[in-house]
Amino acid sequence: QAVENQLKICGFKRNVDVVALYLAGQGLRSVPSLSRFHKLRYLWINNNKIQDLTFLIKNFCLTELYLNNNELTDISGALKHLCALQILLLHNNQLKKLGKTVKELKGMISLQTLNLFHNPLAQDPDYRLYVIYLLPSVQLLDRKSVTQRERESAFHLYNRERSCVLQSTAFGRRVNTPLGAAVGSGRCTQPARRLMMPSGCEFGNHTNKVPFENPEDAVLLRAMTRSLMEFSSVDWNKVATCQERRLENKAEQPHEKLTVQFR
């Protein structure tokens, strides 16, 4: 009845014309399937007593969904198909399992605004960094902008091995620590180990064809022998062309060669 009342208020005569639906604050405990509204994009169903979201399983076009202030305890299997969703408000519910909740939202590559505060799962000490790491598209989390520093902290915390490699090799900052020692934050601590380089891997003789037994040794070796790139340029305005040489119209000048090295 609440749905039909909204259709009459908005003057919708065809289901295909329904783009927005406002069902907030009506004391609803359940909602019938909304699959007939194929183009529904905006749905307000906040401030009710909703406990189940199966009525949304075929509304693929939703971009804004307001589910805050309800009685939801689990959203598994109910929202993962909403790949176009950009705004999702779930605060003031009873969501308890952080891992299951975030897993349900991982496929939402367009999700930019997310509220999960005032749920039991938000009590986790690393809750915010966990959400930031697994949902990289989110820019506004719990009414607070996600900063670059938070993204870096989340990366170091939940991808320790990759973080250590990036901080010690390639074009990252140079690390003046013994190879095999811990690099970066204290969360990346690892026991030191020796670099086992197989025979035939001497530098400069093009004989490094023997693979490393441990792939990490190759990474450490790369960090120790950073590649050298060299670029040379010449001012071609000072170099005589063939025609000028033949006509002797331009005096030959010594070539000025500029060489720049990058390590």
Side-chain angles (χ1 to χ4, degrees):
Q1 186 64 38
V3 175
E4 297 301 327
N5 290 340
Q6 280 299 308
L7 296 181
K8 291 179 181 180
I9 293 173
C10 298
F12 293 123
K13 296 182 179 180
R14 300 185 307 167
N15 293 334
V16 70
D17 296 329
V18 179
V19 177
L21 202 56
Y22 188 83
L23 300 173
Q26 301 193 36
L28 303 177
R29 292 185 177 276
S30 62
V31 178
S33 175
L34 301 179
S35 59
R36 55 177 169 152
F37 307 120
H38 300 295
K39 295 186 178 181
L40 185 64
R41 296 185 60 189
Y42 312 100
L43 177 60
W44 288 265
I45 202 164
N46 51 292
N47 296 88
N48 285 293
K49 300 179 181 180
I50 304 296
Q51 298 179 354
D52 181 59
L53 298 177
T54 54
F55 59 90
L56 294 173
I57 57 176
K58 293 188 178 180
N59 297 103
F60 301 100
C61 295
L62 279 172
T63 58
E64 296 184 15
L65 181 56
Y66 303 89
L67 291 168
N68 49 294
N69 297 292
N70 276 288
E71 298 178 0
L72 296 170
T73 58
D74 189 9
I75 62 171
S76 299
L79 301 178
K80 61 183 178 182
H81 62 287
L82 303 179
C83 299
L85 206 60
Q86 298 177 9
I87 298 177
L88 176 60
L89 304 190
L90 282 165
H91 56 279
N92 286 327
N93 277 282
Q94 298 299 320
L95 300 174
K96 300 179 181 179
K97 298 182 179 180
L98 178 60
K100 291 181 64 176
T101 300
V102 175
K103 183 179 179 181
E104 183 71 14
L105 308 180
K106 285 188 66 175
M108 299 179 183
I109 58 176
S110 301
L111 188 62
Q112 299 179 6
T113 301
L114 175 64
N115 280 359
L116 289 172
F117 63 92
H118 289 170
N119 280 284
L121 57 78
Q123 302 301 318
D124 188 286
D126 294 320
Y127 146 76
R128 184 174 175 87
L129 294 182
Y130 183 78
V131 175
I132 291 174
Y133 176 72
L134 292 178
L135 303 177
S137 64
V138 173
Q139 301 177 9
L140 188 66
L141 177 60
D142 294 343
R143 300 181 295 188
K144 182 181 177 181
S145 297
V146 177
T147 65
Q148 182 60 31
R149 185 171 183 177
E150 286 180 319
R151 295 190 188 280
E152 293 174 357
S153 297
F155 180 77
H156 296 330
L157 179 61
Y158 292 103
N159 199 338
R160 302 176 185 179
E161 181 178 355
R162 180 64 177 165
S163 173
C164 291
V165 172
L166 288 180
Q167 292 187 54
S168 60
T169 62
F171 296 98
R173 66 180 185 274
R174 195 177 185 88
V175 180
N176 297 318
T177 57
L179 292 176
V183 177
S185 66
R187 297 181 181 273
C188 295
T189 55
Q190 297 178 354
R193 61 182 180 82
R194 295 183 58 189
L195 175 63
M196 302 300 294
M197 184 170 63
S199 59
C201 287
E202 295 77 9
F203 302 107
N205 57 3
H206 305 288
T207 59
N208 53 338
K209 300 179 181 180
V210 181
F212 287 88
E213 295 183 0
N214 190 337
E216 294 184 2
D217 289 341
V219 175
L220 293 174
L221 185 60
R222 172 67 179 84
M224 183 173 62
T225 59
R226 297 172 185 269
S227 60
L228 185 70
M229 293 186 295
E230 182 176 292
F231 297 90
S232 299
S233 61
V234 175
D235 187 358
W236 292 101
N237 292 324
K238 297 181 180 180
V239 178
T241 63
C242 294
Q243 185 177 7
E244 289 173 338
R245 290 175 182 173
R246 185 168 58 252
L247 297 176
E248 297 182 352
N249 290 334
K250 187 172 184 179
E252 187 73 18
Q253 298 182 12
H255 299 165
E256 296 182 2
K257 181 178 179 181
L258 177 63
T259 300
V260 181
Q261 293 183 346
F262 296 90
R263 184 177 294 276

